[in-house]
Amino acid sequence: MLLQGKTAVITGASRGIGEAIALTFAREGADVVIHYYAHKSDPEKNLRSEAEALAARIREMGRTAYLCGFDIADREMVDAELKKLLTAVTPTILVNNAGITADNLALRMKPEEWERVIAVNLTGAFWVTQALMRPLMKNGGCIVNIASVIGQMGNIGQANYAASKAGLIGMTKSLARELASKKVRVNAIAPGFIETAMTQAMPEEARKALMDIIPLKETGKPEDIANAALFLCSDMARYITGEVLKVNGGMYM
Ligand code: NAP
């Protein structure tokens, strides 16, 4: 098993790519902190059934699963919940996976569409990283940021999303330099078109157009990203830091 004895915090783990990473890491021996989206003003959201169901599956695999809920864009909530978590857990791996889209043509993009995407995808990842940096440094840890092919090549209607993901790549490289002396490796994955709730709403025509630019002629699965994250977090990648691993079927080379 590649992650025996490790404890991984995975943001946005209640579904999609985050869920696949949580299950893959648990299969490879890691205990997992399942972070899910909880809104401060909406206590109903503090008991997410998807996150609980995932925790049950991980426990059935013989691992320990913890639940941790917060809005990643809310600095106070991030700090308070992670402070609580750190009394019970010492993480060795962090996967910054939580992310959203709010697409619109640049000319029509509303301030809240721009601000929310940057706040969740980029600033939120930084708040979580900052809050977990000390324990990660103590144990020679590993950080993986889930960026996007869109952050590398841009896309019509996604100036906010592309900026957030390109920012995440810049953050990855800076942190890789900053934390290397503490034996913390920091890498990013840039997924292409992966079948999740985020991409399911796409119109058939747009989907077809996309397929034309994917040399492997198929969409990716959440497990494709989970396997890349597993590699980067394992000792097999012990000499890799500051890297952006493309997992996109050749869509962007
Ligand atoms: P998804 O199914 O929509 O899942 C996104 C996750 O982020 C959910 O668990 C969601 O929680 C959580 N989240 C959203 N806003 C949050 C907030 N404010 N605070 C905390 N958590 C929040 O998306 P996915 O496709 O698995 O994407 C995962 C990551 O991969 C994202 O960063 C995305 O940008 C990136 N990515 C995806 C693709 C793709 O093709 N799918 C391609 C490139 C990159 P709730 O369930 O509560 O909403």
Side-chain angles (χ1 to χ4, degrees):
M1 282 197 279
L2 293 172
L3 300 181
Q4 189 84 53
K6 309 277 187 194
T7 301
V9 176
I10 301 159
T11 67
S14 55
R15 61 189 162 96
I17 292 171
E19 180 185 28
I21 294 173
L23 288 169
T24 300
F25 281 19
R27 190 194 68 216
E28 289 296 328
D31 293 331
V32 178
V33 178
I34 300 162
H35 159 263
Y36 62 97
Y37 179 28
H39 199 278
K40 208 191 277 178
S41 63
D42 182 1
E44 279 298 292
K45 272 209 140 183
N46 288 327
L47 256 185
R48 293 303 302 254
S49 53
E50 296 107 315
E52 290 194 331
L54 177 61
R57 286 174 72 188
I58 287 172
R59 287 175 192 135
E60 272 166 25
M61 295 161 93
R63 312 284 168 250
T64 307
Y66 307 85
L67 290 173
C68 184
F70 52 81
D71 177 352
I72 208 161
D74 182 328
R75 171 88 197 251
E76 268 179 31
M77 214 180 168
V78 171
D79 282 351
E81 293 306 316
L82 288 179
K83 203 169 161 196
K84 254 190 264 167
L85 180 79
L86 290 178
T87 62
V89 177
T90 306
T92 43
I93 293 172
L94 165 63
V95 181
N96 283 309
N97 166 76
I100 55 166
T101 54
D103 299 352
N104 212 341
L105 291 175
L107 201 60
R108 294 188 199 138
M109 190 166 285
K110 299 181 187 77
E112 56 272 25
E113 288 169 337
W114 176 271
E115 278 158 16
R116 185 67 185 164
V117 169
I118 300 290
V120 172
N121 295 4
L122 178 58
T123 313
F126 184 69
W127 298 149
V128 174
T129 305
Q130 210 178 29
L132 296 182
M133 219 175 258
R134 279 182 207 285
L136 288 169
M137 286 181 347
K138 216 184 292 165
N139 298 294
C142 178
I143 300 172
V144 170
N145 295 319
I146 307 297
S148 170
V149 67
I150 304 303
Q152 298 176 304
M153 62 186 274
N155 197 21
I156 292 171
Q158 292 199 303
N160 52 356
Y161 185 75
S164 72
K165 295 299 188 176
L168 207 51
I169 290 171
M171 185 180 106
T172 300
K173 293 182 182 183
S174 296
L175 292 178
R177 290 181 188 279
E178 215 172 295
L179 301 180
S181 64
K182 301 289 178 192
K183 297 286 174 218
V184 177
R185 294 183 299 106
V186 188
N187 291 292
I189 297 173
F193 187 92
I194 311 299
E195 294 287 353
T196 68
M198 190 176 265
T199 45
Q200 263 155 18
M202 203 172 205
E204 195 49 40
E205 216 168 281
R207 199 175 260 270
K208 254 176 112 192
L210 201 67
M211 218 50 82
D212 286 343
I213 58 163
I214 303 176
L216 284 180
K217 294 291 171 220
E218 60 173 305
T219 55
K221 298 185 179 72
E223 290 70 26
D224 295 321
I225 308 306
N227 287 334
L230 171 64
F231 166 68
L232 287 173
C233 291
S234 75
D235 283 345
M236 286 197 294
R238 59 169 285 277
Y239 202 53
I240 300 178
T241 196
E243 184 56 65
V244 183
L245 180 54
K246 300 186 197 84
V247 185
N248 63 22
M251 183 176 168
Y252 177 80
M253 298 185 186

